[in-house]
Amino acid sequence: MSIEAVVFDMDGVLIDARDWHYQAMNRALGLFGVKISMADHLARYDGLPTKRKLEILSEDEGIASLVPRGLYPFIAEMKQRYTAEIVHTKCRPVFKQEYLLAKLHASGYKMAVASNSIRNTVETMMNLAGLSGFLDVMLSNEDVSNPKPAPDIYMLAMRMLGVQPQNTLIIEDNENGIKAALASGAHVMAVNDPSDVSWPNVLEMITSIDQGGRQKYNGLRNVNKIINLNNGCQKFQ
């Protein structure tokens, strides 16, 4: 068994953008006097596409009374506009991620990014971060019928890269993305944020798999997330 490809989530893995999406969403909701807390965002909405976030928000009777469902497309459009403004202001190349992808590319690994963001956001962030030139495939939530936590986007990425799940490492940071990665059958490296996504850490993970380990979680000591997964596995250590 050997790793041939590495597939990255984007927000929280290659780009430290989770706060950007939170700010943009609240700015759009604020047009109607609605605000979600950071705690709620991380617990309920992190890693989900805007459409799904709005569907969850509609389950709150208080919010539903303030924001009619017919206005959801408008809110989604405004959220994307606000996200684009933040991205163009804050998204810049980061040496650690550039170095990682350059080393993986030089070592012959195929690479993809698979994100629950829309296509324009994915392409813009990857270009501004200086990472698009290293990637063989860039996928967004517009490329699949079922976004994460469904495994569709990761299955599509592996098909486009021409690799099997047992030869693929997926790097993810949030519950919905990790569920999708696990369901795809690939090896999964769970991280807290982009600071964990470094060449030494990824190389250590790949080496462990190549030596015969069936990896579902990474060995980073600072990763202490505990989530409930359908397969009963709970702890990332």
Side-chain angles (χ1 to χ4, degrees):
M1 181 187 302
S2 62
I3 294 299
E4 299 173 5
V6 180
V7 183
F8 300 90
D9 176 39
M10 185 175 72
D11 301 325
V13 174
L14 288 177
I15 308 291
D16 196 4
R18 285 178 294 186
D19 284 354
W20 305 351
H21 289 287
Y22 169 70
Q23 293 166 15
M25 190 67 175
N26 263 343
R27 188 175 170 189
L29 290 172
L31 298 172
F32 302 91
V34 174
K35 181 178 181 179
I36 56 176
S37 69
M38 176 58 83
D40 276 347
H41 184 264
L42 293 176
R44 302 183 65 192
Y45 310 110
D46 192 26
L48 294 175
T50 301
K51 181 179 179 181
R52 179 56 186 147
K53 291 178 182 178
L54 290 171
E55 290 173 353
I56 295 173
L57 279 169
S58 70
E59 298 169 5
D60 184 314
E61 292 183 2
I63 293 178
S65 66
L66 293 172
V67 186
R69 185 177 288 271
L71 290 175
Y72 285 4
F74 171 75
I75 295 173
E77 180 183 351
M78 294 308 297
K79 190 271 181 183
Q80 301 305 340
R81 288 187 183 183
Y82 295 146
T83 299
E85 289 179 11
I86 296 172
V87 167
H88 281 283
T89 301
K90 296 186 176 182
C91 191
R92 296 290 183 271
V94 175
F95 175 75
K96 179 179 286 188
Q97 275 66 53
E98 286 186 293
Y99 183 72
L100 165 62
L101 268 64
K103 292 290 287 184
L104 288 170
H105 178 75
S107 300
Y109 293 100
K110 300 176 182 179
M111 285 180 285
V113 63
S115 171
N116 258 0
S117 293
I118 63 172
R119 183 178 298 111
N120 181 64
T121 299
V122 174
E123 293 177 352
T124 299
M125 283 193 185
M126 291 297 92
N127 287 330
L128 290 175
L131 302 178
S132 58
F134 298 112
L135 298 166
D136 301 289
V137 173
M138 290 191 288
L139 295 176
S140 72
N141 64 21
E142 297 176 73
D143 295 304
V144 292
S145 297
N146 303 302
K148 306 173 193 178
D152 301 31
I153 195 167
Y154 284 125
M155 301 297 289
L156 177 59
M158 288 185 282
R159 287 198 300 272
M160 293 181 69
L161 291 173
V163 295
Q164 297 298 313
Q166 63 267 27
N167 303 117
T168 304
L169 174 63
I170 296 173
I171 304 180
E172 266 285 2
D173 72 305
N174 67 79
E175 180 175 351
N176 291 299
I178 292 165
K179 285 181 177 179
L182 288 169
S184 77
H187 302 273
V188 182
M189 177 175 175
V191 299
N192 282 316
D193 53 51
S195 67
D196 291 334
V197 188
S198 66
W199 169 242
N201 289 338
V202 174
L203 178 61
E204 180 182 359
M205 186 69 168
I206 291 174
T207 301
S208 175
I209 297 168
D210 288 349
Q211 291 176 348
R214 175 61 184 172
Q215 299 295 325
K216 283 295 185 184
Y217 312 111
N218 72 346
L220 297 178
R221 286 184 289 275
N222 62 339
V223 175
N224 55 12
K225 295 180 181 179
I226 298 178
I227 66 172
N228 295 315
L229 296 174
N230 293 333
N231 64 1
C233 297
Q234 290 186 308
K235 188 174 184 180
F236 300 155
Q237 56 187 0

